[in-house]
Amino acid sequence: MNRSWAASGFVTAMLGILLCSPVMFVVAETKLYKWVDANGNVHYSDKKPKGQAAEDISDSLPAANIDSSHEKLPSLDSISQRRQQDAERKQKQQAARAQRRQKACREARRNLNRYSSRSYFRYRPENEKVSEAQRQKMVKDAKARVSALCS
């Protein structure tokens, strides 16, 4: 099978690339000229005028049509770092909440054990007398607190 170069897709693609590349470089290297005519009017053009002195001002102008908005946006790295820090902070807060809840549960159970024991009220340092009805109410409240905190 004999294949001609003209029909080859590779050659066609390479030809297209070679033909387009000079155009890209010409567009990137466009010059801008400034001159004043005989009437004192200032003109700007990408073509140098014939028979007239013109100043090349290409280097003195800032680049135009360049999107620099991405420079103002936070980088993806900083966003992911912030999300990770937020997740770590939430995890620490949840752990602290769980610790406080466990501590409150232990305290509630300790109080329930105290209130259930009649000897606690006999030998209280405050020497405050508590009736059996008050003690039963304290035990009931302590059970409710234990079930709320320890479940």
Side-chain angles (χ1 to χ4, degrees), residues 28-64:
E29 292 295 322
T30 301
K31 298 280 187 184
L32 188 61
Y33 298 99
K34 173 184 173 183
W35 73 93
V36 180
D37 65 9
N39 297 330
N41 297 324
V42 178
H43 297 274
Y44 297 93
S45 177
D46 58 344
K47 296 177 183 161
K48 193 171 187 178
K50 295 179 183 174
Q52 182 97 19
E55 176 187 359
D56 182 2
I57 59 169
S58 303
D59 296 333
S60 64
L61 297 175

PDB file of all heavy atoms in Angstrom, residues 28-64:
ATOM      1  N   ALA A  28       1.600  38.696  18.686  1.00  0.00           N
ATOM      2  CA  ALA A  28       2.223  38.989  19.967  1.00  0.00           C
ATOM      3  C   ALA A  28       3.248  40.110  19.858  1.00  0.00           C
ATOM      4  O   ALA A  28       3.511  40.794  20.832  1.00  0.00           O
ATOM      5  CB  ALA A  28       2.886  37.731  20.509  1.00  0.00           C
ATOM      6  N   GLU A  29       3.805  40.293  18.689  1.00  0.00           N
ATOM      7  CA  GLU A  29       4.856  41.288  18.507  1.00  0.00           C
ATOM      8  C   GLU A  29       4.351  42.553  17.806  1.00  0.00           C
ATOM      9  O   GLU A  29       5.113  43.258  17.188  1.00  0.00           O
ATOM     10  CB  GLU A  29       6.006  40.681  17.690  1.00  0.00           C
ATOM     11  CG  GLU A  29       6.760  39.613  18.419  1.00  0.00           C
ATOM     12  CD  GLU A  29       7.487  40.147  19.641  1.00  0.00           C
ATOM     13  OE1 GLU A  29       8.023  41.262  19.587  1.00  0.00           O
ATOM     14  OE2 GLU A  29       7.494  39.429  20.645  1.00  0.00           O
ATOM     15  N   THR A  30       3.090  42.873  17.893  1.00  0.00           N
ATOM     16  CA  THR A  30       2.537  44.058  17.246  1.00  0.00           C
ATOM     17  C   THR A  30       3.119  45.323  17.872  1.00  0.00           C
ATOM     18  O   THR A  30       3.222  45.435  19.076  1.00  0.00           O
ATOM     19  CB  THR A  30       1.004  44.070  17.390  1.00  0.00           C
ATOM     20  OG1 THR A  30       0.483  42.892  16.804  1.00  0.00           O
ATOM     21  CG2 THR A  30       0.403  45.270  16.704  1.00  0.00           C
ATOM     22  N   LYS A  31       3.487  46.262  17.010  1.00  0.00           N
ATOM     23  CA  LYS A  31       4.039  47.545  17.447  1.00  0.00           C
ATOM     24  C   LYS A  31       2.949  48.602  17.409  1.00  0.00           C
ATOM     25  O   LYS A  31       1.981  48.501  16.657  1.00  0.00           O
ATOM     26  CB  LYS A  31       5.172  47.992  16.510  1.00  0.00           C
ATOM     27  CG  LYS A  31       6.348  47.052  16.463  1.00  0.00           C
ATOM     28  CD  LYS A  31       7.219  47.263  17.646  1.00  0.00           C
ATOM     29  CE  LYS A  31       8.486  46.428  17.496  1.00  0.00           C
ATOM     30  NZ  LYS A  31       9.316  46.535  18.650  1.00  0.00           N
ATOM     31  N   LEU A  32       3.114  49.619  18.222  1.00  0.00           N
ATOM     32  CA  LEU A  32       2.171  50.730  18.232  1.00  0.00           C
ATOM     33  C   LEU A  32       2.976  52.021  18.056  1.00  0.00           C
ATOM     34  O   LEU A  32       3.955  52.243  18.773  1.00  0.00           O
ATOM     35  CB  LEU A  32       1.382  50.753  19.542  1.00  0.00           C
ATOM     36  CG  LEU A  32       0.240  51.736  19.604  1.00  0.00           C
ATOM     37  CD1 LEU A  32      -0.816  51.430  18.541  1.00  0.00           C
ATOM     38  CD2 LEU A  32      -0.402  51.728  20.969  1.00  0.00           C
ATOM     39  N   TYR A  33       2.516  52.832  17.092  1.00  0.00           N
ATOM     40  CA  TYR A  33       3.233  54.067  16.779  1.00  0.00           C
ATOM     41  C   TYR A  33       2.370  55.281  17.083  1.00  0.00           C
ATOM     42  O   TYR A  33       1.150  55.245  16.957  1.00  0.00           O
ATOM     43  CB  TYR A  33       3.613  54.082  15.289  1.00  0.00           C
ATOM     44  CG  TYR A  33       4.531  52.945  14.915  1.00  0.00           C
ATOM     45  CD1 TYR A  33       4.035  51.786  14.324  1.00  0.00           C
ATOM     46  CD2 TYR A  33       5.895  53.037  15.159  1.00  0.00           C
ATOM     47  CE1 TYR A  33       4.869  50.752  13.978  1.00  0.00           C
ATOM     48  CE2 TYR A  33       6.739  51.995  14.813  1.00  0.00           C
ATOM     49  CZ  TYR A  33       6.223  50.850  14.228  1.00  0.00           C
ATOM     50  OH  TYR A  33       7.060  49.828  13.899  1.00  0.00           O
ATOM     51  N   LYS A  34       3.054  56.387  17.462  1.00  0.00           N
ATOM     52  CA  LYS A  34       2.381  57.647  17.744  1.00  0.00           C
ATOM     53  C   LYS A  34       3.097  58.736  16.933  1.00  0.00           C
ATOM     54  O   LYS A  34       4.315  58.802  16.917  1.00  0.00           O
ATOM     55  CB  LYS A  34       2.486  57.950  19.242  1.00  0.00           C
ATOM     56  CG  LYS A  34       1.979  59.319  19.642  1.00  0.00           C
ATOM     57  CD  LYS A  34       2.220  59.550  21.120  1.00  0.00           C
ATOM     58  CE  LYS A  34       1.887  60.963  21.509  1.00  0.00           C
ATOM     59  NZ  LYS A  34       2.173  61.232  22.911  1.00  0.00           N
ATOM     60  N   TRP A  35       2.308  59.570  16.285  1.00  0.00           N
ATOM     61  CA  TRP A  35       2.889  60.697  15.565  1.00  0.00           C
ATOM     62  C   TRP A  35       1.908  61.861  15.519  1.00  0.00           C
ATOM     63  O   TRP A  35       0.718  61.701  15.781  1.00  0.00           O
ATOM     64  CB  TRP A  35       3.316  60.290  14.140  1.00  0.00           C
ATOM     65  CG  TRP A  35       2.198  60.070  13.178  1.00  0.00           C
ATOM     66  CD1 TRP A  35       1.670  60.960  12.327  1.00  0.00           C
ATOM     67  CD2 TRP A  35       1.470  58.863  12.987  1.00  0.00           C
ATOM     68  NE1 TRP A  35       0.650  60.421  11.611  1.00  0.00           N
ATOM     69  CE2 TRP A  35       0.519  59.107  11.991  1.00  0.00           C
ATOM     70  CE3 TRP A  35       1.516  57.588  13.539  1.00  0.00           C
ATOM     71  CZ2 TRP A  35      -0.379  58.152  11.542  1.00  0.00           C
ATOM     72  CZ3 TRP A  35       0.641  56.631  13.097  1.00  0.00           C
ATOM     73  CH2 TRP A  35      -0.289  56.912  12.116  1.00  0.00           C
ATOM     74  N   VAL A  36       2.462  63.038  15.218  1.00  0.00           N
ATOM     75  CA  VAL A  36       1.663  64.261  15.126  1.00  0.00           C
ATOM     76  C   VAL A  36       1.727  64.725  13.678  1.00  0.00           C
ATOM     77  O   VAL A  36       2.808  64.851  13.091  1.00  0.00           O
ATOM     78  CB  VAL A  36       2.211  65.360  16.066  1.00  0.00           C
ATOM     79  CG1 VAL A  36       1.376  66.623  15.966  1.00  0.00           C
ATOM     80  CG2 VAL A  36       2.274  64.850  17.491  1.00  0.00           C
ATOM     81  N   ASP A  37       0.546  64.971  13.076  1.00  0.00           N
ATOM     82  CA  ASP A  37       0.518  65.398  11.671  1.00  0.00           C
ATOM     83  C   ASP A  37       0.767  66.908  11.567  1.00  0.00           C
ATOM     84  O   ASP A  37       0.987  67.577  12.575  1.00  0.00           O
ATOM     85  CB  ASP A  37      -0.797  64.992  10.989  1.00  0.00           C
ATOM     86  CG  ASP A  37      -2.010  65.690  11.560  1.00  0.00           C
ATOM     87  OD1 ASP A  37      -1.848  66.614  12.370  1.00  0.00           O
ATOM     88  OD2 ASP A  37      -3.136  65.292  11.203  1.00  0.00           O
ATOM     89  N   ALA A  38       0.700  67.438  10.370  1.00  0.00           N
ATOM     90  CA  ALA A  38       0.999  68.857  10.112  1.00  0.00           C
ATOM     91  C   ALA A  38       0.009  69.786  10.807  1.00  0.00           C
ATOM     92  O   ALA A  38       0.335  70.932  11.121  1.00  0.00           O
ATOM     93  CB  ALA A  38       0.995  69.115   8.597  1.00  0.00           C
ATOM     94  N   ASN A  39      -1.213  69.320  11.069  1.00  0.00           N
ATOM     95  CA  ASN A  39      -2.231  70.147  11.722  1.00  0.00           C
ATOM     96  C   ASN A  39      -2.147  70.074  13.248  1.00  0.00           C
ATOM     97  O   ASN A  39      -2.943  70.701  13.933  1.00  0.00           O
ATOM     98  CB  ASN A  39      -3.630  69.727  11.283  1.00  0.00           C
ATOM     99  CG  ASN A  39      -3.847  69.925   9.793  1.00  0.00           C
ATOM    100  OD1 ASN A  39      -3.254  70.814   9.188  1.00  0.00           O
ATOM    101  ND2 ASN A  39      -4.674  69.095   9.194  1.00  0.00           N
ATOM    102  N   GLY A  40      -1.227  69.281  13.760  1.00  0.00           N
ATOM    103  CA  GLY A  40      -1.057  69.157  15.197  1.00  0.00           C
ATOM    104  C   GLY A  40      -1.919  68.067  15.838  1.00  0.00           C
ATOM    105  O   GLY A  40      -1.994  67.960  17.064  1.00  0.00           O
ATOM    106  N   ASN A  41      -2.585  67.247  15.015  1.00  0.00           N
ATOM    107  CA  ASN A  41      -3.404  66.147  15.534  1.00  0.00           C
ATOM    108  C   ASN A  41      -2.521  64.943  15.857  1.00  0.00           C
ATOM    109  O   ASN A  41      -1.636  64.584  15.073  1.00  0.00           O
ATOM    110  CB  ASN A  41      -4.470  65.730  14.512  1.00  0.00           C
ATOM    111  CG  ASN A  41      -5.453  66.850  14.235  1.00  0.00           C
ATOM    112  OD1 ASN A  41      -5.795  67.598  15.148  1.00  0.00           O
ATOM    113  ND2 ASN A  41      -5.899  66.971  12.990  1.00  0.00           N
ATOM    114  N   VAL A  42      -2.788  64.336  16.997  1.00  0.00           N
ATOM    115  CA  VAL A  42      -2.025  63.154  17.408  1.00  0.00           C
ATOM    116  C   VAL A  42      -2.722  61.922  16.846  1.00  0.00           C
ATOM    117  O   VAL A  42      -3.942  61.771  16.938  1.00  0.00           O
ATOM    118  CB  VAL A  42      -1.929  63.063  18.953  1.00  0.00           C
ATOM    119  CG1 VAL A  42      -1.177  61.821  19.369  1.00  0.00           C
ATOM    120  CG2 VAL A  42      -1.286  64.306  19.509  1.00  0.00           C
ATOM    121  N   HIS A  43      -1.905  61.018  16.272  1.00  0.00           N
ATOM    122  CA  HIS A  43      -2.430  59.779  15.687  1.00  0.00           C
ATOM    123  C   HIS A  43      -1.718  58.583  16.316  1.00  0.00           C
ATOM    124  O   HIS A  43      -0.544  58.658  16.683  1.00  0.00           O
ATOM    125  CB  HIS A  43      -2.196  59.756  14.165  1.00  0.00           C
ATOM    126  CG  HIS A  43      -2.903  60.841  13.433  1.00  0.00           C
ATOM    127  ND1 HIS A  43      -4.190  60.724  13.010  1.00  0.00           N
ATOM    128  CD2 HIS A  43      -2.486  62.085  13.059  1.00  0.00           C
ATOM    129  CE1 HIS A  43      -4.561  61.827  12.402  1.00  0.00           C
ATOM    130  NE2 HIS A  43      -3.530  62.685  12.415  1.00  0.00           N
ATOM    131  N   TYR A  44      -2.472  57.473  16.406  1.00  0.00           N
ATOM    132  CA  TYR A  44      -1.917  56.203  16.885  1.00  0.00           C
ATOM    133  C   TYR A  44      -2.250  55.141  15.840  1.00  0.00           C
ATOM    134  O   TYR A  44      -3.369  55.109  15.306  1.00  0.00           O
ATOM    135  CB  TYR A  44      -2.541  55.789  18.227  1.00  0.00           C
ATOM    136  CG  TYR A  44      -2.255  56.751  19.349  1.00  0.00           C
ATOM    137  CD1 TYR A  44      -3.130  57.788  19.653  1.00  0.00           C
ATOM    138  CD2 TYR A  44      -1.100  56.613  20.100  1.00  0.00           C
ATOM    139  CE1 TYR A  44      -2.869  58.665  20.689  1.00  0.00           C
ATOM    140  CE2 TYR A  44      -0.834  57.496  21.147  1.00  0.00           C
ATOM    141  CZ  TYR A  44      -1.720  58.512  21.426  1.00  0.00           C
ATOM    142  OH  TYR A  44      -1.450  59.383  22.447  1.00  0.00           O
ATOM    143  N   SER A  45      -1.302  54.260  15.591  1.00  0.00           N
ATOM    144  CA  SER A  45      -1.548  53.206  14.618  1.00  0.00           C
ATOM    145  C   SER A  45      -0.568  52.063  14.837  1.00  0.00           C
ATOM    146  O   SER A  45       0.504  52.247  15.433  1.00  0.00           O
ATOM    147  CB  SER A  45      -1.392  53.759  13.194  1.00  0.00           C
ATOM    148  OG  SER A  45      -1.566  52.716  12.261  1.00  0.00           O
ATOM    149  N   ASP A  46      -0.945  50.895  14.304  1.00  0.00           N
ATOM    150  CA  ASP A  46      -0.024  49.758  14.370  1.00  0.00           C
ATOM    151  C   ASP A  46       0.866  49.719  13.132  1.00  0.00           C
ATOM    152  O   ASP A  46       1.721  48.855  13.002  1.00  0.00           O
ATOM    153  CB  ASP A  46      -0.793  48.433  14.525  1.00  0.00           C
ATOM    154  CG  ASP A  46      -1.767  48.194  13.389  1.00  0.00           C
ATOM    155  OD1 ASP A  46      -2.079  49.150  12.653  1.00  0.00           O
ATOM    156  OD2 ASP A  46      -2.216  47.046  13.245  1.00  0.00           O
ATOM    157  N   LYS A  47       0.664  50.685  12.213  1.00  0.00           N
ATOM    158  CA  LYS A  47       1.500  50.782  11.007  1.00  0.00           C
ATOM    159  C   LYS A  47       2.251  52.102  11.027  1.00  0.00           C
ATOM    160  O   LYS A  47       1.679  53.159  11.287  1.00  0.00           O
ATOM    161  CB  LYS A  47       0.639  50.697   9.756  1.00  0.00           C
ATOM    162  CG  LYS A  47      -0.059  49.357   9.628  1.00  0.00           C
ATOM    163  CD  LYS A  47      -0.952  49.310   8.439  1.00  0.00           C
ATOM    164  CE  LYS A  47      -1.653  47.970   8.423  1.00  0.00           C
ATOM    165  NZ  LYS A  47      -2.830  47.959   7.609  1.00  0.00           N
ATOM    166  N   LYS A  48       3.510  52.008  10.735  1.00  0.00           N
ATOM    167  CA  LYS A  48       4.349  53.216  10.726  1.00  0.00           C
ATOM    168  C   LYS A  48       3.993  54.060   9.500  1.00  0.00           C
ATOM    169  O   LYS A  48       3.922  53.551   8.387  1.00  0.00           O
ATOM    170  CB  LYS A  48       5.811  52.806  10.677  1.00  0.00           C
ATOM    171  CG  LYS A  48       6.768  53.921  10.967  1.00  0.00           C
ATOM    172  CD  LYS A  48       8.172  53.394  11.127  1.00  0.00           C
ATOM    173  CE  LYS A  48       9.080  54.498  11.592  1.00  0.00           C
ATOM    174  NZ  LYS A  48      10.436  54.013  11.806  1.00  0.00           N
ATOM    175  N   PRO A  49       3.748  55.373   9.697  1.00  0.00           N
ATOM    176  CA  PRO A  49       3.363  56.209   8.559  1.00  0.00           C
ATOM    177  C   PRO A  49       4.556  56.452   7.626  1.00  0.00           C
ATOM    178  O   PRO A  49       5.705  56.518   8.059  1.00  0.00           O
ATOM    179  CB  PRO A  49       2.910  57.511   9.218  1.00  0.00           C
ATOM    180  CG  PRO A  49       3.650  57.555  10.504  1.00  0.00           C
ATOM    181  CD  PRO A  49       3.801  56.122  10.935  1.00  0.00           C
ATOM    182  N   LYS A  50       4.255  56.577   6.343  1.00  0.00           N
ATOM    183  CA  LYS A  50       5.303  56.807   5.358  1.00  0.00           C
ATOM    184  C   LYS A  50       5.617  58.301   5.296  1.00  0.00           C
ATOM    185  O   LYS A  50       4.723  59.139   5.299  1.00  0.00           O
ATOM    186  CB  LYS A  50       4.863  56.332   3.976  1.00  0.00           C
ATOM    187  CG  LYS A  50       4.662  54.838   3.923  1.00  0.00           C
ATOM    188  CD  LYS A  50       4.195  54.404   2.562  1.00  0.00           C
ATOM    189  CE  LYS A  50       3.942  52.904   2.579  1.00  0.00           C
ATOM    190  NZ  LYS A  50       3.370  52.432   1.349  1.00  0.00           N
ATOM    191  N   GLY A  51       6.874  58.596   5.283  1.00  0.00           N
ATOM    192  CA  GLY A  51       7.304  59.982   5.149  1.00  0.00           C
ATOM    193  C   GLY A  51       7.020  60.830   6.387  1.00  0.00           C
ATOM    194  O   GLY A  51       6.964  62.043   6.297  1.00  0.00           O
ATOM    195  N   GLN A  52       6.836  60.224   7.523  1.00  0.00           N
ATOM    196  CA  GLN A  52       6.505  60.953   8.747  1.00  0.00           C
ATOM    197  C   GLN A  52       7.317  60.323   9.881  1.00  0.00           C
ATOM    198  O   GLN A  52       7.456  59.120   9.976  1.00  0.00           O
ATOM    199  CB  GLN A  52       5.011  60.791   9.034  1.00  0.00           C
ATOM    200  CG  GLN A  52       4.531  61.522  10.231  1.00  0.00           C
ATOM    201  CD  GLN A  52       3.920  62.860   9.868  1.00  0.00           C
ATOM    202  OE1 GLN A  52       3.542  63.087   8.739  1.00  0.00           O
ATOM    203  NE2 GLN A  52       3.868  63.746  10.825  1.00  0.00           N
ATOM    204  N   ALA A  53       7.821  61.151  10.776  1.00  0.00           N
ATOM    205  CA  ALA A  53       8.537  60.636  11.928  1.00  0.00           C
ATOM    206  C   ALA A  53       7.512  60.135  12.949  1.00  0.00           C
ATOM    207  O   ALA A  53       6.560  60.847  13.284  1.00  0.00           O
ATOM    208  CB  ALA A  53       9.403  61.717  12.547  1.00  0.00           C
ATOM    209  N   ALA A  54       7.692  58.897  13.416  1.00  0.00           N
ATOM    210  CA  ALA A  54       6.746  58.316  14.377  1.00  0.00           C
ATOM    211  C   ALA A  54       7.524  57.704  15.535  1.00  0.00           C
ATOM    212  O   ALA A  54       8.642  57.213  15.374  1.00  0.00           O
ATOM    213  CB  ALA A  54       5.888  57.259  13.699  1.00  0.00           C
ATOM    214  N   GLU A  55       6.909  57.751  16.686  1.00  0.00           N
ATOM    215  CA  GLU A  55       7.546  57.219  17.901  1.00  0.00           C
ATOM    216  C   GLU A  55       6.940  55.839  18.205  1.00  0.00           C
ATOM    217  O   GLU A  55       5.719  55.667  18.206  1.00  0.00           O
ATOM    218  CB  GLU A  55       7.270  58.180  19.062  1.00  0.00           C
ATOM    219  CG  GLU A  55       7.781  57.707  20.395  1.00  0.00           C
ATOM    220  CD  GLU A  55       7.336  58.629  21.530  1.00  0.00           C
ATOM    221  OE1 GLU A  55       6.654  59.639  21.286  1.00  0.00           O
ATOM    222  OE2 GLU A  55       7.673  58.299  22.684  1.00  0.00           O
ATOM    223  N   ASP A  56       7.808  54.851  18.445  1.00  0.00           N
ATOM    224  CA  ASP A  56       7.341  53.509  18.823  1.00  0.00           C
ATOM    225  C   ASP A  56       7.016  53.529  20.325  1.00  0.00           C
ATOM    226  O   ASP A  56       7.899  53.685  21.159  1.00  0.00           O
ATOM    227  CB  ASP A  56       8.434  52.479  18.520  1.00  0.00           C
ATOM    228  CG  ASP A  56       8.000  51.070  18.846  1.00  0.00           C
ATOM    229  OD1 ASP A  56       6.835  50.863  19.274  1.00  0.00           O
ATOM    230  OD2 ASP A  56       8.826  50.144  18.691  1.00  0.00           O
ATOM    231  N   ILE A  57       5.739  53.393  20.673  1.00  0.00           N
ATOM    232  CA  ILE A  57       5.327  53.460  22.089  1.00  0.00           C
ATOM    233  C   ILE A  57       4.870  52.094  22.616  1.00  0.00           C
ATOM    234  O   ILE A  57       4.223  52.003  23.663  1.00  0.00           O
ATOM    235  CB  ILE A  57       4.192  54.499  22.273  1.00  0.00           C
ATOM    236  CG1 ILE A  57       2.979  54.137  21.419  1.00  0.00           C
ATOM    237  CG2 ILE A  57       4.690  55.897  21.964  1.00  0.00           C
ATOM    238  CD1 ILE A  57       1.745  54.955  21.752  1.00  0.00           C
ATOM    239  N   SER A  58       5.234  51.032  21.932  1.00  0.00           N
ATOM    240  CA  SER A  58       4.789  49.696  22.320  1.00  0.00           C
ATOM    241  C   SER A  58       5.267  49.312  23.723  1.00  0.00           C
ATOM    242  O   SER A  58       4.517  48.719  24.499  1.00  0.00           O
ATOM    243  CB  SER A  58       5.315  48.660  21.325  1.00  0.00           C
ATOM    244  OG  SER A  58       4.895  48.989  20.026  1.00  0.00           O
ATOM    245  N   ASP A  59       6.498  49.650  24.043  1.00  0.00           N
ATOM    246  CA  ASP A  59       7.063  49.236  25.328  1.00  0.00           C
ATOM    247  C   ASP A  59       6.537  50.071  26.505  1.00  0.00           C
ATOM    248  O   ASP A  59       6.580  49.630  27.643  1.00  0.00           O
ATOM    249  CB  ASP A  59       8.584  49.323  25.300  1.00  0.00           C
ATOM    250  CG  ASP A  59       9.179  48.347  24.285  1.00  0.00           C
ATOM    251  OD1 ASP A  59       8.527  47.316  24.026  1.00  0.00           O
ATOM    252  OD2 ASP A  59      10.271  48.626  23.766  1.00  0.00           O
ATOM    253  N   SER A  60       6.043  51.246  26.229  1.00  0.00           N
ATOM    254  CA  SER A  60       5.602  52.111  27.332  1.00  0.00           C
ATOM    255  C   SER A  60       4.155  51.851  27.758  1.00  0.00           C
ATOM    256  O   SER A  60       3.708  52.370  28.771  1.00  0.00           O
ATOM    257  CB  SER A  60       5.749  53.578  26.923  1.00  0.00           C
ATOM    258  OG  SER A  60       4.897  53.862  25.831  1.00  0.00           O
ATOM    259  N   LEU A  61       3.415  51.046  27.003  1.00  0.00           N
ATOM    260  CA  LEU A  61       2.013  50.758  27.333  1.00  0.00           C
ATOM    261  C   LEU A  61       1.907  49.471  28.147  1.00  0.00           C
ATOM    262  O   LEU A  61       2.636  48.517  27.906  1.00  0.00           O
ATOM    263  CB  LEU A  61       1.192  50.606  26.046  1.00  0.00           C
ATOM    264  CG  LEU A  61       1.098  51.846  25.175  1.00  0.00           C
ATOM    265  CD1 LEU A  61       0.368  51.524  23.880  1.00  0.00           C
ATOM    266  CD2 LEU A  61       0.362  52.950  25.911  1.00  0.00           C
ATOM    267  N   PRO A  62       0.975  49.451  29.082  1.00  0.00           N
ATOM    268  CA  PRO A  62       0.753  48.200  29.819  1.00  0.00           C
ATOM    269  C   PRO A  62       0.040  47.187  28.924  1.00  0.00           C
ATOM    270  O   PRO A  62      -0.618  47.550  27.963  1.00  0.00           O
ATOM    271  CB  PRO A  62      -0.137  48.626  30.981  1.00  0.00           C
ATOM    272  CG  PRO A  62      -0.858  49.826  30.485  1.00  0.00           C
ATOM    273  CD  PRO A  62       0.105  50.517  29.550  1.00  0.00           C
ATOM    274  N   ALA A  63       0.196  45.939  29.252  1.00  0.00           N
ATOM    275  CA  ALA A  63      -0.456  44.893  28.474  1.00  0.00           C
ATOM    276  C   ALA A  63      -1.968  45.028  28.634  1.00  0.00           C
ATOM    277  O   ALA A  63      -2.469  45.281  29.724  1.00  0.00           O
ATOM    278  CB  ALA A  63       0.008  43.534  28.943  1.00  0.00           C
ATOM    279  N   ALA A  64      -2.674  44.891  27.529  1.00  0.00           N
ATOM    280  CA  ALA A  64      -4.129  45.032  27.564  1.00  0.00           C
ATOM    281  C   ALA A  64      -4.786  43.663  27.373  1.00  0.00           C
ATOM    282  O   ALA A  64      -4.182  42.734  26.855  1.00  0.00           O
ATOM    283  CB  ALA A  64      -4.572  45.972  26.465  1.00  0.00           C
TER     284      ALA A  64
END
